[in-house]
Amino acid sequence: MTLNEMLLRLHRRLGISTGAQDELLTDLLADANALMLAYLNRAELPAALENAQCQLAVLLYNCLGMEGERARSEGGVTLTVDTLPEDVLSQLRPYRLCKAVSL
């Protein structure tokens, strides 16, 4: 999937009708890519995980303004945020490479 296709997918998922936020969305896709690569211990993201990358970019977009927070309570409502939610992790686990350590 090309960057433009990913941006269009993010536009649809976020209800954005103009390209005014494309730079921000591109940054979020890059952040999602970096988080996923770090978790997977890989240098390149497998093509099968492009959907998960878009999904994580949407989650990152929705968490803007909450940087550094793990939980927030307001008016009796508590919101907890995970960097990599379980539904994304379940998509990533089959592609994770193990690290070998010798002693």
Side-chain angles (χ1 to χ4, degrees):
M1 183 178 325
T2 67
L3 177 61
N4 284 337
E5 291 170 333
M6 291 179 118
L7 286 173
L8 288 173
R9 180 176 279 191
L10 287 178
H11 281 227
R12 286 190 303 270
R13 289 184 180 191
L14 296 170
I16 298 172
S17 59
T18 67
Q21 293 185 325
D22 281 359
E23 287 183 18
L24 171 63
L25 297 178
T26 301
D27 288 347
L28 293 174
L29 284 167
D31 292 348
N33 189 318
L35 283 168
M36 293 169 70
L37 291 176
Y39 178 78
L40 295 171
N41 299 316
R42 290 179 177 265
E44 191 173 311
L45 193 65
L49 294 176
E50 290 173 342
N51 186 51
Q53 182 181 3
C54 287
Q55 185 179 0
L56 186 55
V58 168
L59 294 168
L60 293 172
Y61 180 89
N62 290 329
C63 290
L64 288 174
M66 291 186 65
E67 289 84 355
E69 292 185 71
R70 300 288 281 163
R72 175 189 292 181
S73 293
E74 294 179 24
V77 176
T78 302
L79 174 66
T80 304
V81 178
D82 294 323
T83 304
L84 287 171
E86 186 59 38
D87 57 330
V88 174
L89 285 174
S90 66
Q91 295 175 62
L92 300 180
R93 279 189 194 107
Y95 296 92
R96 192 169 192 197
L97 298 177
C98 296
K99 288 185 179 180
V101 179
S102 64
L103 300 176

